[in-house]
């Protein structure tokens, strides 16, 4: 099982360069970074985990800039977002960022995408909360048009693009309906999410990894009903606090990668946590 990590990198934590160096040297497989552009102080949306929202949510580094630094100082480390808030981006700009990072890293990028939880943050980006999932699906389709080899136009419900020259292309080659980098969708289990995964992604990025015994078979049913090859489905538990029993259970479910949560801390504390996680490598 590949052991990757995630962390809220901020202006107060270990730097992307130092962390990437340490992860690759120690044998961890990847680094995934979350995204929040800003956190409105009104805080009308409850924190999903309960209690007060941790301060690192309002201090996160831009994941694409940070992952670009990490890519430049590593050779093997996989790089990903966990998650890109796709509804909050201009899809033409985002397609360029993603393709550039995947190209420059030699295909090491994973696009972990999701639809968000903070209504106020999304509203400042002009997102209608009720349609954010359909908006995200539409933006993925537009980006796929820009990533195809031949200039391809797209006309969708929420946006369009003319047939265009758009380079670089993502390093990774098309896989069935998926064009672009490895794509995983985050979110809670449910029929709509699983339909989206089966339609345009490589798999699921479930936060915390709870309830997979029941939900993974449901996802596999949706996946196969969409005509996807069963062996291609990827499930990657995300932001996991590990123990041996939990990882053994994931292995029994056929899971080949897990993303462990690191503390949003300075270098010394992060390295102590990596030392503790070394037993799982």
């Amino acid at each position: 099982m590949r052991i990757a990590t995630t962390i809220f990198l901020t202006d107060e934590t270990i730097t992307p360069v130092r962390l990437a160096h340490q992860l690759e040297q120690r044998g961890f497989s990847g680094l995934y970074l979350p995204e929040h552009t800003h956190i409105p102080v009104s805080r009308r949306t409850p924190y999903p985990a309960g209690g007060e929202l941790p301060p690192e949510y309002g201090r996160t580094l831009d994941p694409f800039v940070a992952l670009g630094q990490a890519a430049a100082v590593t050779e093997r480390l996989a790089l990903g977002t966990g998650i890109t808030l796709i509804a909050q981006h201009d899809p033409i700009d985002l397609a360029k960022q993603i393709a550039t990072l995947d190209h420059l890293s030699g295909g090491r990028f994973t696009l972990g995408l999701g639809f968000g939880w903070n209504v106020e943050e999304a509203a400042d980006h002009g997102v209608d909360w009720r349609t954010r999932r359909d908006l995200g699906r539409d933006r993925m389709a537009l980006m796929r048009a820009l990533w195809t080899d031949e200039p391809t136009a797209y006309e969708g419900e929420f946006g369009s693009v003319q047939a265009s020259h758009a380079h670089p292309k993502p390093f990774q080659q098309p896989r069935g309906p998926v064009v672009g980098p490895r794509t995983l969708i985050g979110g809670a289990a449910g029929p709509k999410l699983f339909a989206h995964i089966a339609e345009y992604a490589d798999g699921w990025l479930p936060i915390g990894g709870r309830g997979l015994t029941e939900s993974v078979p449901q996802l596999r049913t949706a996946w196969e009903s969409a005509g996807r090859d069963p062996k291609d489905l990827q499930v990657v538990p995300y932001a996991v606090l590990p123990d041996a029993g939990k990882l053994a259970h994931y292995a029994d479910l056929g899971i080949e990668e897990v993303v462990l949560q690191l503390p949003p801390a300075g270098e010394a504390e992060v390295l102590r946590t990596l030392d503790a996680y070394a037993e799982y490598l």
Side-chain angles (χ1 to χ4, degrees), residues 28-41:
F28 288 89
S29 67
L31 171 63
Y32 291 73
L33 298 181
E35 173 183 56
H36 283 284
T37 54
H38 65 301
I39 300 293
V41 297

Side-chain angles (χ1 to χ4, degrees), residues 8-275:
F8 278 86
L9 284 182
T10 77
D11 54 332
E12 299 179 328
T13 66
I14 188 173
T15 67
V17 167
R18 285 292 295 157
L19 178 56
H21 268 305
Q22 290 294 319
L23 290 171
E24 187 158 271
Q25 289 176 5
R26 292 163 180 258
F28 288 89
S29 67
L31 171 63
Y32 291 73
L33 298 181
E35 173 183 56
H36 283 284
T37 54
H38 65 301
I39 300 293
V41 297
S42 63
R43 296 296 303 112
R44 291 188 298 273
T45 305
Y47 176 42
E52 292 296 317
L53 182 71
E56 59 266 22
Y57 278 73
R59 306 191 74 104
T60 53
L61 301 184
D62 179 278
F64 290 97
V65 175
L67 290 170
Q69 283 198 330
V73 298
T74 56
E75 296 179 351
R76 302 175 305 279
L77 190 71
L79 311 158
T81 53
I83 56 172
T84 294
L85 295 165
I86 189 168
Q88 298 181 186
H89 286 268
D90 177 285
I92 299 174
D93 286 341
L94 183 60
K96 175 70 77 172
Q97 288 177 281
I98 289 168
T100 298
L101 182 53
D102 198 47
H103 169 76
L104 292 177
S105 68
R108 288 188 279 151
F109 181 63
T110 292
L111 173 61
L113 66 89
F115 309 105
W117 60 268
N118 191 310
V119 178
E120 301 89 75
E121 177 185 1
D124 283 345
H125 288 277
V127 176
D128 181 338
W129 193 248
R130 298 166 300 172
T131 61
R132 71 193 188 283
R133 293 177 183 272
D134 293 331
L135 173 61
R137 175 178 177 270
D138 192 71
R139 290 189 167 167
M140 278 300 302
L142 190 154
M143 292 196 297
R144 288 198 303 272
L146 290 169
W147 291 335
T148 56
D149 288 335
E150 297 299 324
T152 302
Y154 177 75
E155 183 71 39
E157 180 181 358
F158 298 95
S160 62
V161 67
Q162 302 172 57
S164 302
H165 299 292
H167 292 268
K169 300 299 183 185
F171 184 93
Q172 299 170 58
Q173 295 301 304
R175 306 160 304 286
V178 184
V179 177
R182 180 187 188 222
T183 300
L184 305 173
I185 303 180
K192 188 166 187 177
L193 179 77
F194 289 169
H196 281 210
I197 292 170
E199 179 186 353
Y200 60 85
D202 294 295
W204 184 27
L205 200 64
I207 295 177
R210 294 180 180 176
L212 296 184
T213 302
E214 295 76 26
S215 56
V216 168
Q218 296 168 9
L219 173 57
R220 286 182 175 142
T221 297
W223 182 268
E224 293 176 30
S225 296
R228 305 290 298 273
D229 190 328
K231 73 177 186 303
D232 292 337
L233 175 61
Q234 301 174 47
V235 176
V236 181
Y238 187 79
V240 170
L241 297 175
D243 61 57
K246 190 181 293 184
L247 297 187
H249 175 59
Y250 293 158
D252 289 342
L253 291 173
I255 289 168
E256 298 179 348
E257 180 184 7
V258 62
V259 182
L260 306 186
Q261 181 70 61
L262 295 173
E267 184 167 328
E269 183 176 346
V270 170
L271 296 187
R272 285 195 296 270
T273 305
L274 291 180
D275 289 338

